[in-house]
Amino acid sequence: MDIESRSCANRMKRESWRTVLTLAYQSLGVVYGDLSISPLYVYKNTFADDIEHSESNEEIFGVLSFVFWTLTLVPLVKYVFIVLRADDNGEGGTFALYSLLCRHAGIGILPGGQFGDEELSAYKTRDGRLHPPSGTAAERLKRMLEEHKVLRHLLMILALLGASMVIGDGVLTPAISVFSAVSGLELSMSKEHHQYVEVPVTCLILVFLFALQHYGTQRVGFLFAPIVATWLLCISMIGVYNIFYWNPHIYQALSPYYMYKLLKKTRTRGWMSLGGILLCITGSEAMYADLGHFSQLSIKIAFTSVVYPSLVLAYMGQAAYLSRHHFIESSYLVGFYVSVPERIRWPLLVIAILAAVVGSQAVITGTFSIIKQCSALGYFPRVKIVHTSSEVHGQIYVPEINWILMILCLAVTIGFRDTKHMGNASGLAVITVMLVTTCLMPLVIVLCWHKSIFLSVCFVLFFGTIEALYFSASIVKFLEGAWVPITFSFIFMIIMYIWYYGTLKKYDFEVQNKVSLNWLLSLGPHIGIVRVRGIGLIHTELVSGIPAVFSHFVTNLPAFHQILVFLCIKSVPVPYVKPEERFLVGRIGPKEFRLYRVIARYGYHDVHKDDLEFEKDLVCSIAEFIQTGTSEQNGFMDETRKCDEKMAVVGKGVQLCEQDGEPEEDPGPSNSREIQSPLILPKKRVRFVLPKSPQLHEGAREELQELMEAREAGMAFILVHSHMRAKSGSGLIKRLVINFGYEFLRRNCRGPAYAINIPHASTLEVGMVYSV
């Protein structure tokens, strides 16, 4: 028996390692595409204007030393060994850090937060703790953040800055990557012909790349890893060849002493050249941002065993070649292709273009992902999200953003027409995102990991100093291209903040104008009007209380549905919510009123179901709430008490099963009733299947019967169309933000996710004007 157990354990261990290695191989195409193609333009940008290499090789050795230690300290030490551990239930990125802080420090400023959200399993850390121990430095830091609104807003702006720079990088990276790959044509034709070919070819490839986004990457994704692996193999082999053929002593440049010599000799020009050197770490943030697609171990293995050594060999090979070729006629020939042997330049050019497309694809997908996260958390206008793969949750397509990125990308390519300005722009975007991560990580170290403040200070001082040095070298090139990411981030941040501000003001208006429970009780069981058959579903942002639209509706219409559900679909600062924890169900008013509140909670990476699936889950949650007896224990909601104390989390105690054609005879208990949904195809039936021994009392059985009859009669969706207007006497800025900014975004953005596929015959729209 022991031998069999050991054999089974060994087999499982082999399977586990096989899975990890497979993920590591696949991550080459998804995570490391952008980082792998950086040798195409690093030396070209570094030696563009700022420094020139002389016969002493000190400049070349100094640049190589900077490249090596930057690659070692930032991607390897910072991201692989430290930042990757700061995952939000397996997810990474700027908003993953921010969501961790929202939960552990109570600094979230999204409306609709509830104490019950803290009971979600995804809220807890690995050690099961959400709040730091009392009396510790983490507890004091948490209290300081909770008490100072300015600090909370500062952290939110920092997160929005990182998100906007990621979006800006989605414009700049495809431009510089494809342009640098196509620049290999300069060695095979005259400069007069080359300048008329390079830009058109780049634009054609970019248009083709963005046009293919609609089809997703699942059909060609299997090619990504082989392309990047082939590219890394080629540049590492060329690097080894150049090292042994041109300068075997180039390894001496790995000494940090040459960095000192470079800055001492070139002074200001050497400092400004850091703006080109930092391009060697473009794409490093993707290791953290794409963490949800892979595991920490697989990303670490891929970088340390394949990507890192290949890049180091490639940069050493280029430096070895340049150290023996001091007098190159044109500065733009210092690029990657000049160090490639002539007989393999054309095949390598094709591989480089394919690798650039793969790297650009990963950045574009990452941009779609950050837009989805911002939209889910209420920081970006609602946009259409198309899931291009039914198997991989992260493969999405955002049509509006895709075409905006393409237009901006083409404008950057045609406007700059050289890698120098593109590199300055891309470098500033990259280093800004890294600085944001460095600023947020100390708080995660203290509040989430419960480590000492000393360690967090050491982290921010060490990596912050390095990145601030590169940032200063990039920002001084404002007029030489660095203004582009600043402009992009400013525009996107304005959009995000206007949408956030308008959403907050709208929620405040609904809270201040919600209907009191006493008004509802005064209407009596029939709400003072005729109750018609069916279920009425009213969407509201409120997690407690009765929305003002209800009184507005009742005042103007003489009838309402026999079952009324106030539905709140809200986002919580976690990546995913388990299906059994999604719905919070409660009762509004006495039992005879048949008024319910359902709160559906979604994480920022959750996929919203279509209307039929969501409708079934909604009815199931109410049915389980009734049959479990929770409603009897809780009575009805009291406005004077917290909503969380009067609502229950429901899972899957009551199930809906579908049958095509006429249903078979039910062998189950007599209280299993069959109902016909008006929104499903004619021969498809849906029925409730209750537990075999439900032990239901007569009141609950009657309530379930009424729910099933109402479901059979049909469900109507009451959608609220609100129009925001600033109050008279408001300041000029507020009037501009609300009356023009927010209203323009609201009119031109998508509606709620659940309302996209609702049949028009089942929809009733109610308009209201909100004076905020």
Side-chain angles (χ1 to χ4, degrees), residues 314-426:
Y315 287 118
M316 290 178 66
Q318 289 185 66
Y321 178 88
L322 293 176
S323 67
R324 293 293 183 264
H325 297 80
H326 298 284
F327 303 100
I328 300 178
E329 296 179 0
S330 193
S331 61
Y332 68 84
L333 289 178
V334 186
F336 171 77
Y337 292 102
V338 72
S339 63
V340 178
E342 291 186 11
R343 59 183 177 273
I344 62 171
R345 276 180 184 169
W346 278 105
L348 194 66
L349 174 65
V350 175
I351 298 174
I353 293 176
L354 292 176
V357 169
V358 171
S360 302
Q361 173 63 51
V363 174
I364 295 170
T365 303
T367 304
F368 291 160
S369 179
I370 198 72
I371 290 288
K372 181 179 181 295
Q373 293 179 31
C374 294
S375 180
L377 293 175
Y379 290 105
F380 198 84
R382 290 184 294 266
V383 291
K384 182 179 181 181
I385 306 292
V386 179
H387 293 268
T388 59
S389 174
S390 59
E391 299 177 356
V392 183
H393 67 270
Q395 293 185 0
I396 60 176
Y397 167 66
V398 185
E400 299 94 336
I401 300 299
N402 181 67
W403 302 121
I404 292 174
L405 290 180
M406 187 191 75
I407 293 172
L408 294 177
C409 195
L410 292 175
V412 168
T413 304
I414 297 173
F416 285 154
R417 300 190 179 194
D418 66 81
T419 56
K420 174 188 173 183
H421 290 81
M422 294 182 193
N424 294 337
S426 179

